[in-house]
């Protein structure tokens, strides 16, 4: 793996951290990895029945009573430290760090207490100590260990080393590639044999598939079908030519449609070609956007690696249900010619090999696409966290649709950037609406990872490119493509008419007199269902999409929406209304003639607005000018109050400031007004209107309480920073499994601190013993406060408890379309999806 997997960037970085030369680091890393199971040479392990195959090697050594426990990783950490110090001249601090790193290969670094509690009768002394020393000397002899000892690598490099050792151990534990050797086989013969086996294992599992292009290309060469470069893309090409040495941070802020995704892929490709970084991970906000990006990434890799085989993974909770991902998994079983025919020589073969599809392995694939959560778990205190960090090291990580997340998720993103910088990775952040304060926080986090004092970022107006590299920070303002410059009219639907729905229906009938496609965006599922029922009698072609459908039905609706309102659709209806929630807010390439939205945080309103007149097309005469209609909140003495659902989803303080920023506008100019609107809502300025001071103060106090709660959760859950210079074991001291119930309360992602939710599987015509894929297709996440707590009190079926995929779901049995759950009735409506109401007492 040192020779064929790490790549030049990873090798040179680790050499520097170990204070060794190129020639010295390779045998030392091999030696340390080879010593990871040194702790199996102890009485407690050898007395176990599964160790019978090793018994001949330790014949005659004293053993202990069966049942004496001492994990062999702990014994490795305890004994290897002394051997490194006493026999190989390693300093005490370096020996402790290195021994702990390789001893943690089962997910947790052995603590000082673990090592102290390892009893002598379990570890073994005398002849056992001699046996362990002999094994280490044998390893040193065969790897031709140099005399100069490594220095203390520090927390970050030790974490990387632990990930490398764990992954190598997983591969080498496969008896199909590494069968047990007979005791009569000489170690040197075994070494030669295992080297050949190792290469064949890496080849067969997909580790040696393409990761780096042969040569750097220009932007136009990489994307030959583009009609021309947009200003952002030209600036990125110029920037990549100045300095591409990792680690590096690049923030691209521009309106939707400026080609940010292509720019990010160009930066990733250039970094691989010129700096030896290994592949990319594209992190997106949702499963739906991840599924869409998978197809784009596949097409990109096919074109970039003609005639080569390339690994691509999809990482999120429902990846197994993606038809495109399943095709990639099936393609891994065939040769390129069988998949592509004669095109195999000009097109790459993109596959998803089985080995990378298992838990905790997806980020090890050279190329992968998934939700941002999969990367953020890498900075939470979980078992095998160092494997995730190893997978993210020395590659390009692209974070798409980054905006004003809550304090908790923003804190995790900061931690991720700090670790990426320390691990020698390049991060590319894409956003259409990023507050300047948040831009500076992201830059400061990356600089902390570089062990640099935060340097103030240069000022630059939106749209802009910001970067941090070895030569320091920089920023430049971008031109906007003429085709994207526009003015969007802003109108309000008054609050008093919303309750009956008459104003909304009348507005739609008036605006769609001739024809047109409209979308009504709601903040909650309940509101969307109510609006849909109001509109249905008056609009024959009205549809609805939200997150409260069983997964299979939701995916079918999503495909239908894309087919009808997506770019280049040949099924676009003449006159139609779509009612939707936030599922349409990010990344989905949709285009509507008219948009009506509930008030949401300003950055999300602008995201939604990006689906209005998104592409050039012929439009009805009444709708030739883009207009955004906003449902006005209730006003009391001129001061807004927000409905319960919106206040449940968003901070009232942000909603209040958004309303104040938009209320007097008649139009929004793109891009001129976007930056100013975002700053007006998210800066630290005071309330400038005494009329709203009381409401401002009340909502600000609530926001501050929530911020403090989030910061406390970050302290409890997140990994220590890479700059931590204490004992290595403290990184995993409080680590739990990624799917531990106390962390995954109510099927809630570790990386999103929202109100509790619960994943249910809708049974009814489907038995709980059905295949996992069938059960997942009937899954849906519920967030109803009263119902969630009651469902959490239910226990999953025994078979589900044993499944890492199903263990956090609860069954919901439907009879004639209804399910009852402790005082609630849940109905499965074929149009509305799941509806929830309290049962009458």
């Amino acid at each position: 793996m040192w020779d064929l997997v790490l790549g030049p960037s990873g090798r040179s970085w680790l050499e520097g951290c170990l204070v060794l030369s190129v020639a010295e680091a390779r045998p030392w890393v091999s030696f340390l990895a080879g010593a990871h199971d040194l702790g199996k040479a102890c009485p407690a392990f050898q007395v176990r029945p599964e160790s019978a195959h090793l018994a001949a090697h330790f014949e005659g050594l004293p053993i202990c009573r069966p049942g004496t426990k001492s994990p062999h990783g702990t014994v490795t950490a305890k004994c290897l430290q002394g051997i490194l110090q006493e026999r190989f001249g390693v300093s005490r601090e370096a020996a402790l760090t290195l021994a702990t790193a390789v001893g943690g290969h089962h997910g947790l670094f052995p603590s000082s207490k673990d090592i102290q509690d390892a009893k002598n009768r379990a570890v073994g002394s005398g002849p056992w100590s001699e046996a362990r020393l002999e094994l280490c000397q044998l390893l040193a002899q065969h790897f031709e260990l140099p005399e100069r000892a490594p220095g203390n690598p520090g927390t970050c490099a030790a974490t990387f080393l632990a990930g490398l050792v764990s992954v190598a151990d997983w591969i080498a534990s496969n008896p199909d590639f590494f069968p047990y050797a007979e005791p009569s086989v000489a170690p040197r013969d075994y070494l030669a044999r295992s080297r050949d086996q190792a290469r064949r294992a890496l080849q067969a599992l997909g580790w040696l598939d393409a990761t780096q292009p042969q040569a750097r290309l220009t932007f136009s060469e990489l994307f030959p079908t583009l009609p021309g470069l947009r200003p952002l893309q030209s600036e990125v090409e110029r920037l990549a030519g100045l300095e591409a040495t990792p680690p590096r941070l690049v923030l691209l802020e521009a309106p939707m449609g400026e080609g940010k995704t292509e720019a990010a892929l160009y930066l990733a490709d250039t970094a691989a070609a010129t700096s030896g970084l290994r592949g990319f991970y594209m992190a997106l906000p949702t499963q739906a956007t991840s599924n869409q990006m998978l197809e784009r990434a596949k097409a990109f890799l096919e074109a970039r690696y003609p005639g080569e085989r390339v690994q691509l993974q999809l990482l999120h909770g429902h990846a197994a249900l993606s038809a495109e991902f399943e095709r990639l998994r099936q393609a891994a079983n065939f040769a390129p010619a069988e998949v592509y025919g004669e095109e195999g020589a000009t097109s790459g073969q993109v596959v998803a090999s089985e080995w990378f599809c298992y838990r905790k392995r997806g980020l090890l694939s050279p190329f992968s696409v998934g939700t941002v959560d999969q990367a953020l778990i890498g900075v939470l205190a979980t078992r095998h966290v160092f494997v995730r960090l190893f997978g993210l090291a020395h590659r390009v990580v692209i974070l798409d649709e980054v905006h004003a997340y809550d304090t908790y998720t923003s804190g995790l993103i900061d931690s991720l950037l700090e670790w990426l910088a320390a691990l020698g990775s390049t991060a590319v952040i894409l956003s259409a609406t990023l507050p300047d304060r948040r831009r500076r926080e992201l830059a400061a986090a990356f600089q902390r990872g570089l062990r640099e004092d935060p340097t103030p970022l240069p000022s630059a107006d939106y749209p802009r490119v910001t970067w941090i590299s070895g030569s320091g920070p920089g920023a430049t303002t971008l031109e906007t493509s003429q085709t994207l410059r526009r003015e969007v009219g802003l109108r309000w639907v008054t609050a008093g008419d919303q309750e009956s729905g008459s104003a909304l229906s009348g507005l739609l009938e008036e605006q769609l007199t001739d024809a047109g496609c409209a979308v009504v965006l709601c903040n909650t599922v309940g509101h969307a269902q109510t609006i849909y029922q109001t509109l249905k009698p008056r609009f024959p072609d009205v549809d609805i999409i939200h997150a409260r459908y069983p997964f299979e039905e939701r995916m079918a609706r999503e495909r239908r929406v894309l087919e009808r309102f997506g770019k280049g659709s040949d099924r676009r209806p003449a006159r139609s209304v779509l009612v939707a929630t936030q599922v349409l807010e990010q990344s989905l390439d949709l285009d509507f003639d008219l948009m009506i939205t509930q008030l949401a945080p300003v950055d999300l309103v602008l995201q939604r607005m990006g689906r209005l007149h998104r592409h050039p097309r012929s439009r009805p005469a009444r709708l030739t000018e883009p207009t955004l209609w906003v449902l006005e909140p209730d006003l009391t003495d001129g001061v807004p109050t927000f409905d319960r659902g919106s206040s449940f989803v968003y901070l009232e303080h942000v909603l209040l400031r958004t309303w104040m920023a938009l209320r007097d506008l008649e139009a929004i100019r793109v891009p001129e007004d976007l930056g100013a609107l975002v700053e007006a809502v998210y800066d630290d300025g005071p309330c400038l209107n005494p009329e709203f001071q009381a409401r401002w103060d009340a909502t600000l106090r609530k926001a501050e309480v929530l911020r403090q709660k989030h910061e406390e959760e970050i302290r409890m859950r997140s990994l220590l920073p890479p700059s931590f210079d204490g004992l290595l074991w403290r990184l995993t001291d409080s680590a739990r499994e990624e799917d531990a119930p106390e962390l995954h309360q109510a099927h809630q992602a570790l990386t999103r601190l929202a109100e509790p939710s619960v994943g249910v599987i809708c049974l009814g015509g489907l038995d709980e013993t059905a295949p996992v894929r069938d059960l997942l297709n009937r899954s849906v996440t519920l967030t109803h406060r009263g119902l969630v707590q009651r469902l959490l009190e239910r226990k999953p079926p025994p078979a589900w408890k044993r499944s890492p995929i199903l263990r956090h779901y609860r069954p919901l049995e439907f009879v004639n379309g209804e399910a009852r759950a402790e005082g609630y009735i849940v109905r499965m409506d074929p149009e509305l999806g799941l509806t929830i109401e309290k049962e009458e007492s």
Side-chain angles (χ1 to χ4, degrees), residues 659-720:
W659 179 81
M660 292 173 64
L662 296 178
R663 67 192 181 108
D664 294 328
L665 295 182
E666 295 184 355
I668 298 174
R669 295 172 302 157
V670 180
E672 290 85 353
D673 294 338
L674 302 192
L677 284 172
V678 172
E679 294 309 315
V681 173
Y682 288 105
D683 69 12
D684 294 322
C687 178
L688 299 178
N689 191 328
E691 182 183 357
F692 305 119
Q693 188 68 57
R695 183 76 171 136
W696 176 288
D697 292 342
T699 58
L700 185 59
R701 284 193 295 270
K702 290 174 66 176
E704 179 61 21
V705 169
L706 187 62
R707 184 188 66 79
Q708 292 177 1
K709 174 188 174 184
H710 284 194
E711 288 182 345
E712 178 60 27
E713 289 290 340
I714 291 173
R715 284 192 289 271
M716 290 172 55
R717 298 187 184 192
S718 63
L719 198 64
L720 290 165

Side-chain angles (χ1 to χ4, degrees), residues 4 171 176-179 188-204 208:
L4 304 176
I171 298 171
D176 292 337
F177 296 111
F178 299 92
R188 181 161 293 279
D189 293 337
Y190 180 73
L191 177 64
R193 180 200 305 176
S194 65
R195 280 178 172 152
D196 179 62
Q197 290 168 329
R199 182 181 290 271
R200 288 193 293 109
L202 292 174
Q203 184 70 57
L208 303 187

Side-chain angles (χ1 to χ4, degrees), residues 406-421:
D406 58 56
T407 303
Y408 177 71
T409 306
S410 295
L412 292 183
I413 290 175
D414 290 350
S415 182
L416 174 65
L417 289 175
E418 190 171 350
W419 271 96
L420 290 176

Side-chain angles (χ1 to χ4, degrees), residues 13 247 416-425 445-450:
W13 176 82
L416 174 65
L417 289 175
E418 190 171 350
W419 271 96
L420 290 176
L423 288 164
S425 299
F446 198 81
Q447 287 177 312
R448 286 195 300 273
L450 298 175

Side-chain angles (χ1 to χ4, degrees), residues 2 158-159 173 214 236 278 281 407 443 471 475 572 613 617 628 635 659 718 734 795 819:
W2 175 275
T159 301
S173 296
Q214 297 296 319
V236 162
R278 190 173 187 272
Y281 179 59
T407 303
S471 58
R572 188 176 181 87
H613 287 219
R617 69 168 68 246
L628 176 69
L635 301 178
W659 179 81
S718 63
S734 59
K795 301 296 182 187

Side-chain angles (χ1 to χ4, degrees), residues 9 239 243-251 263-264 266-272 274-282 392-399 416-417 419-429 446 450 467-470:
S9 175
L239 182 63
E243 181 184 356
T245 305
R248 199 180 194 206
L249 172 68
V250 181
L251 292 92
Y266 176 79
L267 287 169
D269 190 80
T270 301
T274 61
S275 303
L277 294 189
R278 190 173 187 272
F280 59 69
Y281 179 59
M282 301 190 74
L392 291 169
H394 304 286
R395 70 191 306 186
V396 176
V397 178
I398 300 168
L399 303 176
L416 174 65
L417 289 175
W419 271 96
L420 290 176
L423 288 164
S425 299
T426 285
V428 181
I429 295 177
F446 198 81
L450 298 175
W467 64 89
I468 293 175
S469 61

